[in-house]
Amino acid sequence: MAKDDMEKEKFYITTAIPYMNAKLHLGQVYEFILADTMARFNRLMGKDVYFLTGSDEHGQKIYKSAQEKGLPPQKYVDNMVLDMKRILKLYSISNDAFIRTTGKSHEKIVGNIITRLKDNGDLYKGTYEGWYCVPCETFLLDSQLIDGKCPQCNREVEKVKEENYFFKLSNYKDKLIKHIEDNPDFVIPETRRNEVLGLLKQGLKDISVSRTAVTWGIPIPFDSKHYSYVWVDALINYISALGYGLDDDNLYRDYWPADQHHIGKDILKFHAVIWPALLMSTGIELPKHIVVHGWLLLGKEKLSKSKGITLDPDELSEEFGVDALRYFLTRELSFGQDGSFTNQAMIKRYNSDLSNDIGNLVSRSLVMISKYRDGVIPEKSESNAKLQEKWEEVKNLTIKGIEDFNYSKCLIKIWEFINLTNKFIEDSQPWAVAKSSKDSDAKKLNSILYDLAEAIRLSALILSPFMPITCQRIFSQIGINEKIDGMDISKDGQWGKFKGGVKIGKREILFPRIKEK
Ligand code: ME8
C-alpha cells in the first residue's frame, strides 16, 4: 500500500454477489451503479476505498442451469463470470476486487467458519422437512407460502426432507434486536430497519446451513455427506475476499468492518439477520451499514425472464449509452424505493437534462472560446461571485446528499449549478461584449469565458462519480488531460484551481438528441 493510502480514512463497500445462473439484467446492474457512484464519490472525498463485487456460483439453481446447458457446473460458471466482468467494465464499475465463491481461498475460509460455528456450540444436526424455493435458494415453512408458492418470487417450491446441520439462529434474537436498536443506522433506510425489527420481534427459527441433496457447494470439513448451504457460502464472501483468517490477512485488517453492504430489498433478512448472527457467533465485528435499495421495474412490472419482461444491459447501453443510463437510474429513482424504467422517461431525461442542459452548456461555451479567443481558454481573472457562491453551496449539499444516499438530490443540486451557468451566459451576453473594441470589454469577455470553463470543469468533477466517461471527455474538451480518478474534491474542487491559458481539445457532441417516438 502506498504511504499516502495509510493515512487516508478507509472505506470498504460491497455489492451483493449475483447468481451466475443467467446473464445480468439492469436490476442487478442498478445495484452496481449505486455502489460504484458511492465508491467513486468517496475516493473523490479523499478516502482509501476498497470496492468489492463478485459472483455467487454454487447451489441448486446454478447446478440446474448448467445441466440444462449440458455443461459441467464449473465450466458453466466460468463462462458466466466472464460475461459478468464484461458488463462491469461496460458500465464503468470501478471495483477493486472480484470474489468468486468457487475460488480456493474462499472455499477454505467458508470451511473454517462453519467449523468455528460448530466449535462454538452453535450447530446441531437435525432433519429439515419443508419447502425449498430454488430460484431464491430459500428454505420455506408451510406458513410462509402464498397459494402454495414462494412469497418472494411467486414460483413453485419443492418439497424437501433431508438431514441438515442447523445453526442456532434463535439464540441471537435478543442480541440482534439490541444491536439494531443501539445502532439506528445499521440498516438503511429506516423502513427496512423497521421491517427487520418486525421480523425479529416475531421470533427466529434455527436455520439449515448445510445440504446433503445438493453437492454443488463447499464440502463441510467435519462431515463428508454435507455441503454448505449456498447462502452461508455467499455471505462469507465479504470477509473471504479480504483473506480473513489466512496468513496474509492485511486486507482484512485494513478494511473490515465493511462500511456499506449494498443490497436489494429481497435479501434483507440474509444480510440484516443471518449474516450478523453468523458474525456474532464467530466473534467477528459486524458491518457498519446494510444499505438497501428498492426494485427496478419495467414500467409497473417486475423483471422476469420467463414472462419476457427484461431490461438487457447490452441493448440499453447501445441505445442510450452507459453514462445516460447511470444518470437516469441515479436521478429518476428515489433511493430505497422501487422505481421504474420506461423508454419514454429515459428519452425525456436524456434530451432535457443531458442533451440540452449540460450538453449545450459545454458545446456553446467551447464554440465561443473558439470563436472569440482562437480556442484558448483565457487565464484566470476576477470571477462572477454568484457562480462561485453557488458552486460552494452545491458542492457542500452534494457531499451531504451522498452521505444520505440521496443520489437524486445531489443531481438536482448539481443541475442548479449547471443551469445557473447557462443563465450566466444569457445574462452576460458574451456575443455582445465581443463586438466591442474597448479594452475593458476584452477583459470582461476573458473573465466570462474563463468562468464558463471553470464552471464546466467543476461540474464535470462533481458529476464524475455518476458519469465517469462523459466527465473525463468534458475535461479533455476543455483542454485538461489529467485523469479525474485520483482527484480530491477538497483541493481540485476549489473555484479558481484551474489556471486557464490552455487550448481546448476536440469538440464532440456529448449527448446527441434522441428523437421522441
Ligand atoms: O440474491 N431491481 O443474487 P441475485 C433492483 N446471489 N435490484 C435487483 C433486481 C431488480 N429488479 N433484481 C435483483 C442474490 N436485484 C444472491 C446474493 S449476496 C451474499 C448473495 C438485486 O442475482 C438483488 O436484490 O438474485 C441483489 O441485491 C442483487 O441484485 C443480486 O441478486
Side-chain angles (χ1 to χ4, degrees):
M1 195 186 305
K3 187 162 177 279
D4 223 20
D5 283 347
M6 282 163 60
E7 287 143 19
K8 289 182 178 177
E9 186 183 334
K10 303 270 185 283
F11 184 80
Y12 179 31
I13 175 168
T14 67
T15 67
I17 51 173
Y19 292 119
M20 289 296 100
N21 68 309
K23 182 182 175 182
L24 293 184
H25 58 66
L26 199 67
Q28 291 152 314
V29 174
Y30 170 53
E31 180 172 306
F32 299 142
I33 293 173
L34 293 175
D36 185 62
T37 305
M38 186 57 71
R40 287 177 183 271
F41 212 98
N42 277 276
R43 289 191 195 106
L44 192 59
M45 292 197 293
K47 293 192 197 165
D48 168 13
V49 172
Y50 198 72
F51 173 20
L52 174 73
T53 187
S55 48
D56 192 352
E57 303 181 23
H58 288 127
Q60 200 169 345
K61 158 152 109 169
I62 288 166
Y63 186 76
K64 259 174 97 173
S65 302
Q67 271 190 325
E68 279 160 20
K69 286 268 181 301
L71 286 174
Q74 189 63 57
K75 176 81 191 128
Y76 177 73
V77 292
D78 287 349
N79 294 342
M80 300 306 288
V81 166
L82 285 180
D83 200 55
M84 170 169 173
K85 288 187 172 171
R86 180 186 66 75
I87 293 177
L88 291 176
K89 199 157 170 230
L90 176 66
Y91 276 77
S92 307
I93 306 301
S94 63
N95 53 303
D96 297 287
F98 188 98
I99 176 86
R100 294 190 58 177
T101 57
T102 55
K104 283 289 156 270
S105 72
H106 172 78
E107 296 194 347
K108 183 170 166 202
I109 294 166
V110 170
N112 290 345
I113 299 254
I114 295 178
T115 307
R116 285 256 297 277
L117 298 176
K118 176 169 168 275
D119 294 346
N120 295 344
D122 268 339
L123 289 195
Y124 62 92
K125 223 183 218 180
T127 301
Y128 174 80
E129 190 168 2
W131 303 97
Y132 195 81
C133 172
V134 178
C136 298
E137 296 282 11
T138 308
F139 294 95
L140 293 163
L141 303 171
D142 254 334
S143 58
Q144 289 175 296
L145 303 186
I146 298 178
D147 296 333
K149 293 190 179 158
C150 170
Q152 189 68 250
C153 70
N154 197 30
R155 278 179 279 204
E156 298 294 334
V157 288
E158 282 180 6
K159 184 111 205 153
V160 170
K161 183 174 180 188
E162 64 180 31
E163 183 188 77
N164 288 167
Y165 279 97
F166 284 78
F167 169 65
K168 292 184 184 164
L169 185 64
S170 54
N171 279 359
Y172 290 90
K173 179 186 142 191
D174 294 338
K175 276 193 189 166
L176 287 165
I177 293 178
K178 180 163 183 346
H179 185 79
I180 294 174
E181 283 176 347
D182 291 350
N183 299 275
D185 55 2
F186 177 61
V187 179
I188 296 167
E190 203 183 341
T191 45
R192 299 292 166 208
R193 170 180 181 263
N194 293 339
E195 188 181 323
V196 178
L197 281 174
L199 264 172
L200 287 168
K201 287 178 180 164
Q202 277 170 28
L204 288 179
K205 289 219 158 27
D206 294 346
I207 54 160
S208 298
V209 292
S210 76
R211 304 223 42 196
T212 43
V214 181
T215 56
W216 178 239
I218 299 175
I220 302 288
F222 46 84
D223 192 333
S224 62
K225 268 188 12 213
H226 289 254
Y227 293 81
S228 169
Y229 167 43
V230 62
W231 263 105
V232 172
D233 163 356
L235 287 164
I236 293 171
N237 91 85
Y238 301 127
I239 52 173
S240 73
L242 304 179
Y244 172 77
L246 300 183
D247 289 342
D248 178 5
D249 65 350
N250 286 335
L251 284 172
Y252 177 77
R253 286 163 192 270
D254 281 342
Y255 293 105
W256 191 258
D259 292 272
Q260 297 177 2
H261 285 325
H262 283 246
I263 58 158
K265 63 180 188 179
D266 56 320
I267 56 174
L268 178 60
K269 185 176 173 195
F270 292 102
H271 284 81
V273 176
I274 298 177
W275 177 227
L278 293 172
L279 292 171
M280 282 172 174
S281 169
T282 36
I284 299 172
E285 220 179 315
L286 304 199
K288 293 182 200 155
H289 305 291
I290 312 287
V291 183
V292 191
H293 61 77
W295 219 236
L296 176 69
L297 310 171
L298 174 56
K300 290 187 175 137
E301 307 265 10
K302 218 170 147 178
L303 302 183
S304 155
K305 228 181 197 158
S306 54
K307 291 190 193 147
I309 307 165
T310 55
L311 284 170
D312 181 84
D314 287 312
E315 284 169 18
L316 288 162
S317 74
E318 266 174 40
E319 198 169 347
F320 302 111
V322 159
D323 276 350
L325 287 160
R326 288 179 62 120
Y327 175 75
F328 179 87
L329 293 171
T330 42
R331 171 64 183 82
E332 188 85 7
L333 277 72
S334 297
F335 178 77
Q337 290 168 24
D338 290 353
S340 67
F341 180 94
T342 62
N343 266 310
Q344 212 184 8
M346 174 76 212
I347 294 173
K348 203 160 165 229
R349 282 257 167 245
Y350 180 105
N351 283 340
S352 73
D353 303 6
L354 300 178
S355 190
N356 263 2
D357 298 343
I358 190 164
N360 275 347
L361 171 63
V362 174
S363 142
R364 65 210 279 230
S365 303
L366 292 176
V367 166
M368 289 190 286
I369 293 165
S370 293
K371 195 162 158 195
Y372 306 137
R373 291 295 178 262
D374 245 354
V376 177
I377 298 172
E379 287 187 13
K380 181 177 150 190
S381 53
E382 203 150 303
S383 281
N384 179 280
K386 260 197 190 161
L387 272 183
Q388 281 191 62
E389 274 164 31
K390 186 73 186 171
W391 166 247
E392 285 307 318
E393 176 204 319
V394 164
K395 179 171 63 176
N396 294 333
L397 289 175
T398 305
I399 293 172
K400 171 89 178 56
I402 279 288
E403 285 166 356
D404 294 340
F405 303 92
N406 200 337
Y407 298 81
S408 174
K409 184 169 162 202
C410 294
L411 291 168
I412 291 171
K413 278 286 147 199
I414 298 171
W415 250 253
E416 282 180 12
F417 180 62
I418 290 170
N419 286 333
L420 187 73
T421 312
N422 272 323
K423 183 167 179 301
F424 169 70
I425 301 182
E426 301 308 322
D427 293 348
S428 55
Q429 306 233 335
W431 45 89
V433 183
K435 284 193 189 137
S436 154
S437 52
K438 281 200 256 162
D439 253 14
S440 60
D441 281 333
K443 276 193 183 156
K444 191 170 166 194
L445 185 59
N446 279 348
S447 120
I448 297 172
L449 297 178
Y450 171 84
D451 280 356
L452 288 179
E454 182 59 337
I456 290 171
R457 178 185 76 89
L458 292 167
S459 304
L461 180 73
I462 204 158
L463 266 180
S464 61
F466 298 88
M467 297 194 285
I469 303 280
T470 302
C471 292
Q472 192 67 56
R473 281 175 67 201
I474 295 177
F475 261 53
S476 344
Q477 293 198 32
I478 54 168
I480 306 177
N481 295 317
E482 283 164 79
K483 283 240 168 308
I484 301 183
D485 284 350
M487 289 192 175
D488 186 326
I489 200 158
S490 65
K491 291 185 233 135
D492 299 293
Q494 278 171 19
W495 181 282
K497 171 97 197 303
F498 183 41
K499 299 278 170 275
V502 297
K503 193 147 179 65
I504 58 171
K506 190 164 170 272
R507 271 195 287 132
E508 285 173 283
I509 306 285
L510 296 170
F511 297 102
R513 265 190 98 73
I514 298 180
K515 261 211 169 129
E516 290 181 40
K517 286 167 204 155

